[in-house]
Amino acid sequence: MTINALVFDAYGTLYDVQSVAAVTEDAFPGYGDIITQIWRIKQLEYSWLRSLMRRYEDFSVITKEALAYTIRVLGLKHDTATFERIMDKYLHLDLYPDARATLAALKGRKLAILSNGSSNMLEALVKNSGLDRVLDATISIDSRRIFKPAPDVYTLIEARLGVRPAEVLFVSSNPWDACGAKAFGLNVAWIERVTPEAMALACTKSDVVTPLTLFKALRTQMDELGVTPDHRIHALSELPGLVAHS
Amino acid sequence: MTINALVFDAYGTLYDVQSVAAVTEDAFPGYGDIITQIWRIKQLEYSWLRSLMRRYEDFSVITKEALAYTIRVLGLKHDTATFERIMDKYLHLDLYPDARATLAALKGRKLAILSNGSSNMLEALVKNSGLDRVLDATISIDSRRIFKPAPDVYTLIEARLGVRPAEVLFVSSNPWDACGAKAFGLNVAWIERVTPEAMALACTKSDVVTPLTLFKALRTQMDELGVTPDHRIHALSELPGLVAHS
């Protein structure tokens, strides 16, 4: 295969959604980690449910609704300023440590993001992290009013970059996103950040689990969706080598 | 409103999906509860993801795939007989204690199930629990090849029972299902089996949580999907009084 474009998922792939935990812990001491986990799970659920219900709202609305759910369910109270401070972190997420160097090493090919995030959220996030200087495009699904993994949103890559699916390597750490992209017909590299061995070890004490362990059990392992991504890597930094040999 | 038909969700509403835990604990001592929780969450996720991916498989396939995921992620090994024994419990789920008496008390109105389950699964489940003697219809979504909460599946109620949405009370303990039915246009009673107060209390120790607590935090509280069901009840047994006063 000839790879002429690499297209990255944003949340969880280039940007670490767990980096919200510092802010949530500061706002709600003792609850920082569990807020982050429930929030992320509900954010994804709402994106899928609203897509199926045909009640699309953009990802900033869904992200707020998921956070409101999380705070309420935990029996916590918040004021507007606290809520906004947590939400603001979504526009300043940390990059994974190897993200910047990886993108630099891939220079020469088209580089883009395809994300569930709304155009406004993504524009701010990409600018705040300086990735606007290395990316050729930041593509939001919002023009299609449906979320990943609906096939329709993956068509945006060819529409925006002018590169056929066979020449695209799509990169995601989210198993359901990797499967959706593969089912659509892209070449896909899935980032397995937690090995099966580490996962099994974390679950040895199964009667009580940390929120992070349960999150990992739900979100980091390859799903059973009848689709297998082309490549399994363990970090973004493996990508330059992967496409050099392709 | 005049309610001429009551239509029930099956899994989690009439039938207790937690009743699988006895079988999973027997098969995998120490892991019974966490298996049940991850299994259920993945089963739902796969129903939504496959619907969005347009890769429908029936609910028995999805349920098997979700169980396979769960066992793998926990680092456990299984043989075919164990796997089949666990799966078989899905055809013999326990009814909630008040289910039978509630249905008997509602006699005279049309009574039905509308479920994500495949026709084969539902037929066995309903027969094994004896509900075939009190239900007028057991409706599977499988003819539509998409899962709840897609609006299309809720049209099956009028198609099969000949009762208009305005005359139907749809009953579900699953918040996303209650919201989907309401968004479609049915009258909806949502069963809140875990009060917000009990939920918040269970989350007081937030650094370690039991699998059941996290499951409750994700599955038992009303979701933020921009829709509010008409009625909030706490047990099936409240239904005869509710419709008598309607």
Side-chain angles (χ1 to χ4, degrees), chain A residues 29-32 34 37-38 41-42 45-55 65-66 68-69 72-76 146-152 176 179-180 182-184 196 199-201 203-211 214 216-227, chain B residues 29-32 34 37-38 41-42 45-55 65-66 68-69 72-76 146-152 176 179-180 182-184 196 199-201 203-211 214 216-227:
Chain A
Y31 289 89
I34 197 167
Q37 314 312 335
I38 296 177
I41 290 170
K42 279 289 158 182
E45 286 188 4
Y46 291 176
S47 71
W48 304 328
L49 288 166
R50 279 190 174 273
S51 293
L52 275 177
M53 290 164 70
R54 299 196 206 131
R55 294 251 170 165
E65 290 177 336
Y69 175 95
R72 168 166 59 80
V73 163
L74 294 171
L76 303 171
I146 194 166
F147 291 103
K148 297 177 184 177
D152 199 32
W176 52 272
C179 289
K182 182 64 197 167
F184 170 75
M199 184 71 254
L201 197 65
C203 290
T204 306
K205 277 185 65 181
S206 59
D207 52 338
V208 290
V209 292
T210 67
L214 204 119
K216 285 179 182 168
L218 292 172
R219 298 266 68 86
T220 68
Q221 304 296 293
M222 182 43 62
D223 280 309
E224 298 278 344
L225 289 166
V227 184
Chain B
Y31 289 89
I34 197 168
Q37 314 313 334
I38 296 177
I41 290 169
K42 279 290 157 182
E45 285 188 3
Y46 291 176
S47 71
W48 303 328
L49 289 167
R50 279 190 173 273
S51 292
L52 276 177
M53 290 164 71
R54 298 196 208 132
R55 294 252 171 164
E65 290 177 337
Y69 175 94
R72 168 166 57 80
V73 163
L74 294 171
L76 303 171
I146 194 165
F147 291 103
K148 298 177 184 178
D152 199 32
W176 52 273
C179 290
K182 182 65 197 167
F184 170 75
M199 185 69 254
L201 198 64
C203 291
T204 307
K205 279 184 62 180
S206 59
D207 51 339
V208 290
V209 292
T210 66
L214 205 119
K216 284 179 181 168
L218 292 172
R219 298 266 68 86
T220 68
Q221 304 295 292
M222 182 43 62
D223 279 310
E224 299 278 343
L225 289 166
V227 184

Side-chain angles (χ1 to χ4, degrees), chain B residues 72-175:
Chain B
R72 168 166 57 80
V73 163
L74 294 171
L76 303 171
K77 302 269 176 255
H78 69 275
D79 53 38
T80 309
T82 303
F83 195 91
E84 293 302 323
R85 195 165 76 247
I86 298 174
M87 279 297 299
D88 186 63
K89 179 65 185 175
Y90 244 85
L91 308 180
H92 297 88
L93 294 170
D94 300 357
L95 282 168
Y96 278 97
D98 52 350
R100 214 178 297 273
T102 298
L103 291 169
L106 291 166
K107 204 177 165 182
R109 290 183 169 85
K110 286 193 179 177
L111 301 175
I113 280 174
L114 174 70
S115 168
N116 272 343
S118 66
S119 296
N120 286 346
M121 291 172 81
L122 290 174
E123 196 180 328
L125 181 66
V126 166
K127 188 150 188 264
N128 291 335
S129 57
L131 289 198
D132 55 335
R133 293 189 294 273
V134 292
L135 294 175
D136 296 289
T138 302
I139 309 169
S140 164
I141 57 77
D142 58 7
S143 63
R144 299 298 163 98
R145 298 182 63 81
I146 194 165
F147 291 103
K148 298 177 184 178
D152 199 32
V153 307
Y154 298 104
T155 66
L156 285 165
I157 295 173
E158 183 167 9
R160 285 286 299 277
L161 298 181
V163 179
R164 291 181 301 116
E167 298 168 16
V168 172
L169 182 65
F170 183 78
V171 182
S172 183
S173 72
N174 289 296

Side-chain angles (χ1 to χ4, degrees), chain A residues 113-166:
Chain A
I113 280 175
L114 175 70
S115 168
N116 271 345
S118 66
S119 295
N120 285 346
M121 291 172 81
L122 291 174
E123 196 180 328
L125 180 66
V126 166
K127 189 151 187 264
N128 291 335
S129 58
L131 290 198
D132 55 335
R133 294 189 294 273
V134 292
L135 294 175
D136 296 289
T138 302
I139 309 170
S140 164
I141 58 77
D142 59 8
S143 63
R144 300 296 163 99
R145 299 182 62 82
I146 194 166
F147 291 103
K148 297 177 184 177
D152 199 32
V153 307
Y154 299 103
T155 65
L156 285 164
I157 296 173
E158 184 167 9
R160 286 285 298 278
L161 297 182
V163 179
R164 290 180 302 115

